[in-house]
Amino acid sequence: MSDVKGAAALRATLVFNLGTLGALASDRFAARVEAIGLKPKHAGLLAALDAGSGASQQELAARLGVAPSLIVVLADQLQALGAVERVRDPQDRRRQVLTLTPEGRRLLTRCAEAAEEADAELTAGLGDAQRAALTDALRTLGEQQVPQ
C-alpha cells in the first residue's frame, strides 16, 4: 500500500517545492549561460566581483563560502576569456586582486539576461503581482539565511 498521505504532505512543503523548482531553474539557467561559454559558478563569481571593488581570491572564497581552490580555477578560466584581470597587491605581493574587465561586465550582462529569460519562462503562469510577491519572499528568505 502506498503512503499517499506522506506523498501529499511532502508535496505540500516549501522545502520540497523549492528543491524541485530550484533544480529546474538551475538547469534552465545553466543551459542559457553555457550558450555563452560559461557555467553558473562563473556567473556567480562575476556577480561577486561586480558587487564591490576588486577583491582577493581568498576574500572571494570566504564571501561565497567556497574553497579558495575553486576561485582560482574559475578565475583562471575567466581570465582566459578576458573577463577578469589579476593584479598583485602592492602592499602584499602574495595577494592577487581580481577585477572585472569590460568583457567581464559584458558577460555579466549576458548572464543577467539569461537569468531574466529563465525567470520569465519559469513564472509564465503567474501574474505581475504574484511574480513580484514571490521574488520578494524568496529574497527575504535568502537574506535571513545569510550568517551575520
Side-chain angles (χ1 to χ4, degrees):
M1 178 179 241
S2 69
D3 184 7
V4 176
K5 181 180 180 193
L10 178 62
R11 285 191 301 273
T13 66
L14 180 64
V15 171
F16 180 78
N17 285 296
L18 282 175
T20 301
L21 287 171
L24 178 64
S26 292
D27 289 347
R28 289 180 182 182
F29 178 65
R32 282 179 168 83
V33 296
E34 284 174 12
I36 58 173
L38 299 176
K39 296 192 180 306
K41 289 180 181 180
H42 292 123
L45 182 54
L46 292 172
L49 286 170
D50 190 54
S53 59
S56 75
Q57 295 172 153
Q58 290 288 333
E59 291 165 347
L60 287 162
R63 188 183 320 162
L64 296 173
V66 299
S69 59
L70 176 60
I71 298 298
V72 171
V73 169
L74 293 173
D76 287 346
Q77 294 165 347
L78 289 170
Q79 187 175 20
L81 294 171
V84 299
E85 182 178 65
R86 281 186 171 106
V87 178
R88 291 261 179 222
D89 184 337
Q91 279 75 40
D92 183 352
R93 300 292 297 158
R94 297 167 297 171
R95 184 175 183 259
Q96 291 198 45
V97 176
L98 297 176
T99 57
L100 281 180
T101 65
E103 176 62 10
R105 293 193 188 288
R106 187 188 72 75
L107 287 171
L108 181 57
T109 297
R110 302 262 324 264
C111 289
E113 290 166 352
E116 290 166 356
E117 291 168 7
D119 278 2
E121 184 179 307
L122 188 67
T123 63
L126 300 178
D128 290 343
Q130 289 175 308
R131 188 176 299 110
L134 176 61
T135 300
D136 289 342
L138 291 173
R139 183 178 299 115
T140 299
L141 285 173
E143 288 169 355
Q144 290 173 353
Q145 302 309 308
V146 176
Q148 299 296 326

